[in-house]
Amino acid sequence: MKLGDLGDLMVLTLRDPDTAVRVLRGLELPMAVRWMVLLLAVTLSTLLAGLSLLLFPIEVDNPVSRMLSEPMSLAGIQFGAMVLSALFVAQIGRLFGGHGTFPDALLIVGWVELMLVGLQAVQVVMMMLFPATATLLSMLAFGLFLYLAVTMTKALHGFTSTGKVVVGLIGSVFLLGFVLSLIAAAFGIVPEVTP
């Protein structure tokens, strides 16, 4: 697959997620390559986050902020969250009658993250040139994430109802948040609450 093919696949993903999922599945990538896609996405995202922190430093005033400002911690958290997301997308979708598998979910989560990394790179450049666009680009990135999460999950499992996928995704996000908060509490990483 060439660089131009990646651009075409990005456009296809935005226009026709069902076909994009078929193309991704048709690549028949071995499991090791699927893990590498995820690692590449995490690495690029962490590098861009580090660059963003260098260009636009933020105040680190609590344990969570300190942890997220450390590149290795951020990479580990992102990687863990993406693996859990792929697991939840695969398993919860199958509970509701979908036919997606964990390897395909892992590839799709990695692919979506790579697309978001592209937007993240544009965001860093735009923040340097036009700082006022930061909020707008953040909203655009969040909207794109929601769109891709819903449409790619729907395509992965062969669902026909977008509404049910949205409800399932919201439930999964709450469940994932609960699991991550339990893990954070177990490691003593809890935000400080001041009365």
Side-chain angles (χ1 to χ4, degrees), residues 80-100:
M82 282 193 250
V83 171
L84 279 176
S85 297
L87 186 62
F88 280 23
V89 162
Q91 295 305 318
I92 293 174
R94 290 177 76 79
L95 284 175
F96 288 95
H99 57 265

Side-chain angles (χ1 to χ4, degrees), residues 145-181:
F145 164 74
L146 288 178
Y147 170 76
L148 290 173
V150 169
T151 58
M152 295 298 276
T153 300
K154 184 178 165 187
L156 171 69
H157 287 292
F159 292 139
T160 55
S161 171
T162 301
K164 288 180 183 177
V165 174
V166 170
V167 170
L169 192 64
I170 291 170
S172 299
V173 166
F174 280 113
L175 183 59
L176 180 61
F178 178 71
V179 169
L180 290 176
S181 68

Side-chain angles (χ1 to χ4, degrees), residues 114-129:
L114 279 175
M115 289 185 65
L116 293 173
V117 163
L119 185 59
Q120 187 181 358
V122 170
Q123 190 174 8
V124 170
V125 171
M126 291 298 288
M127 284 171 62
M128 287 188 297
L129 300 175

